[in-house]
Amino acid sequence: MQNQQVRRLTDGALMAAVFTVMLVISVYVPIFSLLTALFLAVPAAWYSAKYGWRASLVFALVSLALSALLGGFLAVPLALIHLPFGLAIGLSLYYKKSKLYLFLSAGLSLLASLMVQYVAAVAFLGINAIEEMRLQLEDSYAQAGVWAERMGSDMEAYNATVSQMLFTLETMLPTLFVMAGFIIAWGVLSVQLPLLKRLGVASPKFPSFRELRLPKSVLWYFLIIMLITLLFEPQPGTMLYMALMNLTLLLNMLFFLQGISFYHFYIHQEGWPKWVTVLVTVLAVPLQSFTTIVGIIDLAFNIRGWLKRAHEFKGK
């Protein structure tokens, strides 16, 4: 028992030191910040995967204090992103949760950390990153408008187009923020999970992308949203309009991924070379509407099941 406590304290001190060193490098040597961002959560993930939530909470508090002491004010926000992210990964592994649970918990922890820091920056520092981005976009479009006017363009049409683009971006921002958070979480997980496995932590392997299948309930959500849109015809600028537009964008993106997954499934089943998979994936982007429809049809009618049975029948 005493040996276990000593081992836990030793590992905690070691991982806290590794985390703090990488964090200080990220703050004071910005050229390495993109590289270290991929691995900053690894110490927290490794430790929490080994020792559970009580020891991990102490580890996180000690790591945060060391980060503030050695890295200064700029290190605290960075630590408050990567520590919860690492704990979400490690505790999911410690309690042997599913791959989907691990991915969702990691993504949600990242989104929650970013949102809390955004609110804190607005409330206490008066810094609104989203507003600053919007002002920069308006300034860029205004400068582009000067050149367009000199070239004889229709400025009324140009201003209307710019206003519509900015309004659409502002409306869709919540969904874009959520999608970006989960994409980043997936990218970081794809790097960290193999590393954790090499460090002795049993890490689940995510299934192949061709096996991606959305739950059928997503179709009902899509139909309900379409029905509400047709019945109520929400006006631009209202909360209902913003909610429906964001949900529609999110569902369309999910159906798009389902469509690409179906392409991968079909190519793998036919035994075609990998370069075909790459080519079809690239072509799916300009053909996004068609790929989305393919995803909806595949989910609604289980086209993969038909293809599997046809393939098995052909092989007999």
Side-chain angles (χ1 to χ4, degrees):
M1 184 69 178
Q2 188 173 2
N3 289 337
Q4 287 182 346
Q5 277 189 325
V6 171
R7 181 65 179 271
R8 185 168 63 240
L9 291 172
T10 303
D11 287 344
L14 178 61
M15 290 297 108
V18 171
F19 175 81
T20 305
V21 169
M22 288 199 296
L23 191 71
V24 170
I25 292 173
S26 301
V27 172
Y28 292 108
V29 191
I31 193 172
F32 294 117
S33 59
L34 289 177
L35 181 62
T36 54
L38 293 173
F39 304 102
L40 262 172
V42 170
W46 183 88
Y47 189 78
S48 55
K50 289 281 188 182
Y51 298 109
W53 72 270
R54 286 189 177 86
S56 300
L57 181 60
V58 176
F59 163 82
L61 293 174
V62 171
S63 298
L64 184 61
L66 288 174
S67 301
L69 183 64
L70 300 177
F73 177 76
L74 293 176
V76 175
L78 199 58
L80 289 175
I81 292 174
H82 291 280
L83 283 173
F85 186 75
L87 292 179
I89 297 172
L91 293 175
S92 297
L93 296 174
Y94 180 81
Y95 292 107
K96 302 187 186 313
K97 298 295 185 179
S98 66
K99 305 176 187 75
L100 179 61
Y101 182 95
L102 189 154
F103 173 63
L104 291 177
S105 61
L108 289 173
S109 71
L110 180 62
L111 289 172
S113 299
L114 292 173
M115 184 57 67
V116 168
Q117 294 195 38
Y118 169 74
V119 172
V122 173
F124 300 110
L125 302 177
I127 300 173
N128 190 330
I130 295 177
E131 183 66 19
E132 290 293 328
M133 181 184 71
R134 188 182 67 82
L135 292 174
Q136 288 181 6
L137 283 174
E138 288 181 352
D139 185 57
S140 299
Y141 281 124
Q143 293 179 13
V146 172
W147 286 99
E149 188 174 13
R150 290 177 183 175
M151 297 174 66
S153 300
D154 184 355
M155 293 308 298
E156 185 175 346
Y158 174 83
N159 290 329
T161 302
V162 169
S163 297
Q164 183 61 38
M165 289 176 61
L166 290 174
F167 175 75
T168 303
L169 178 62
E170 189 174 351
T171 302
M172 300 297 189
L173 199 57
T175 297
L176 295 175
F177 178 74
V178 171
M179 287 168 54
F182 278 104
I183 290 171
I184 292 171
W186 176 80
V188 175
L189 280 172
S190 64
V191 173
Q192 292 189 2
L193 288 180
L195 179 58
L196 287 170
K197 190 173 182 179
R198 295 179 73 89
L199 293 174
V201 176
S203 303
K205 183 180 179 182
F206 285 97
S208 174
F209 182 69
R210 66 176 177 271
E211 298 176 18
L212 172 68
R213 294 295 304 273
L214 298 173
K216 290 229 175 190
S217 58
V218 174
L219 284 171
W220 288 105
Y221 301 148
F222 183 70
L223 290 173
I224 291 170
I225 290 169
M226 293 297 101
L227 186 61
I228 293 174
T229 303
L230 290 173
L231 291 177
F232 295 97
E233 297 182 359
Q235 297 300 311
T238 62
M239 287 297 295
L240 180 60
Y241 178 85
M242 180 178 290
L244 291 175
M245 289 293 287
N246 279 278
L247 288 172
T248 302
L249 175 63
L250 183 60
L251 289 174
N252 281 334
M253 180 56 66
L254 291 174
F255 289 135
F256 176 67
L257 293 175
Q258 173 90 18
I260 297 179
S261 173
F262 173 77
Y263 295 157
H264 286 213
F265 167 82
Y266 183 77
I267 292 168
H268 178 265
Q269 183 170 269
E270 294 298 319
W272 293 348
K274 289 187 177 180
W275 66 265
V276 178
T277 305
V278 176
L279 178 62
V280 169
T281 304
V282 172
L283 291 176
V285 177
L287 298 172
Q288 188 246 340
S289 298
F290 177 77
T291 304
T292 301
I293 294 172
V294 170
I296 293 173
I297 295 173
D298 176 44
L299 184 60
F301 300 104
N302 190 22
I303 305 298
R304 299 186 202 201
W306 294 3
L307 290 174
K308 276 184 179 178
R309 288 191 292 272
H311 189 75
E312 290 170 359
F313 180 78
K314 194 190 328 182
K316 289 181 180 179

